[in-house]
Amino acid sequence: MVTYPSGATALVTGGASGIGAACARRLSAAGVRVVTADIADGADERIDVTDPVAVERLRERLGRVDILVNSAGVVGPSAPLVDTELSDWHRTFRINVDGTFLACRAFVPAMIGAGWGRVVNLASIAAKDGNPKQSAYSASKAAVIALTKSLGKEIATTGVLANVVAPAAVESPMNAGTDPAILARSQSLTPMARMGRPDEIAELVAWLSSDALSFSTGAVYDASGGRASY
């Protein structure tokens, strides 16, 4: 049975749209107080997750949160590696990796102090497969997986669990500007022959954020329609 601590609060970065918004809705429906943080309109907290000062001020405003879902991210450039601009590479890593790192660094200590917490970071199947013409995205999401594995091991005895979800292509605003050929390739590699839906990913995130999870940390959970093979 999926339950959450009484009065639990969740912070969802990238919570204004896509997977983040679906996670926020799912946790809220379960009785969790949810705070969304995003650079886009519609978020409870308008912040840039790559700004360490902004993230620290958010921590000061919110205090301890019980659940941290790091969903803020960008696809980045859709180009061969040799044609990728360094500035685009850096921007992709700042949002996908630095944003995840800064939020974990800010909010995990209070979870440890309380003896309970759940961290769920969003990566991608591209982190395992390495999508052609998405070297920055693939590499940055691989870094999110490695970060989560390290964090999960570091805090394994504290009551705080950190895991990562690796979806295949999902129908979300983040993919609106993705090269259609890249999305078509992803779908062709997916045995279910379709893209995922944000609400499907949110169900997995909700379970990973709950009391139902007790003996898993630093693990990667695929949501790939059968595409993942390891």
Side-chain angles (χ1 to χ4, degrees):
M1 182 177 181
V2 177
T3 60
Y4 304 88
S6 178
T9 296
L11 171 63
V12 181
T13 72
S17 64
I19 292 173
C23 291
R25 290 192 299 269
R26 176 63 180 82
L27 291 170
S28 181
V32 177
R33 172 180 173 257
V34 177
V35 178
T36 57
D38 205 308
I39 200 169
D41 292 337
D44 299 316
E45 296 280 349
R46 290 286 301 277
I47 72 159
D48 178 352
V49 295
T50 71
D51 182 345
V53 174
V55 173
E56 179 58 23
R57 287 176 178 167
L58 178 63
R59 184 200 64 77
E60 292 171 354
R61 289 196 299 274
L62 296 183
R64 180 173 66 86
V65 301
D66 306 283
I67 298 163
L68 172 63
V69 179
N70 282 305
S71 184
V74 292
V75 173
S78 295
L81 184 146
V82 296
D83 296 328
T84 298
E85 296 292 338
L86 183 60
S87 59
D88 292 333
W89 177 275
H90 283 164
R91 177 176 180 270
T92 306
F93 268 77
R94 282 199 307 272
I95 296 170
N96 294 350
V97 185
D98 292 3
T100 299
F101 159 72
L102 289 170
C104 288
R105 188 179 68 171
F107 289 98
V108 166
M111 293 182 184
I112 294 172
W116 195 95
R118 299 290 184 267
V119 178
V120 184
N121 296 327
L122 272 296
S124 169
I125 194 68
K128 295 183 173 187
D129 288 0
N131 286 350
K133 296 187 177 180
Q134 284 192 323
S135 58
Y137 181 71
S138 300
S140 67
K141 290 301 188 178
V144 171
I145 286 179
L147 178 159
T148 310
K149 285 178 173 289
S150 293
L151 177 62
K153 291 177 173 65
E154 291 170 5
I155 61 177
T157 61
T158 66
V160 183
L161 307 178
N163 293 287
V164 61
V165 174
V170 172
E171 297 171 351
S172 72
M174 191 177 81
N175 274 320
T178 302
D179 184 343
I182 291 176
L183 295 177
R185 175 184 178 274
S186 177
Q187 187 165 324
S188 73
L189 294 172
T190 303
M192 286 189 179
R194 66 174 176 86
M195 294 176 70
R197 299 189 307 271
D199 61 290
E200 293 174 312
I201 310 306
E203 286 295 331
L204 177 55
V205 172
W207 178 72
L208 291 170
S209 302
S210 74
D211 277 322
L213 188 74
S214 60
F215 194 57
S216 179
T217 195
V220 184
Y221 290 80
D222 296 318
S224 67
R227 175 177 167 180
S229 58
Y230 72 96

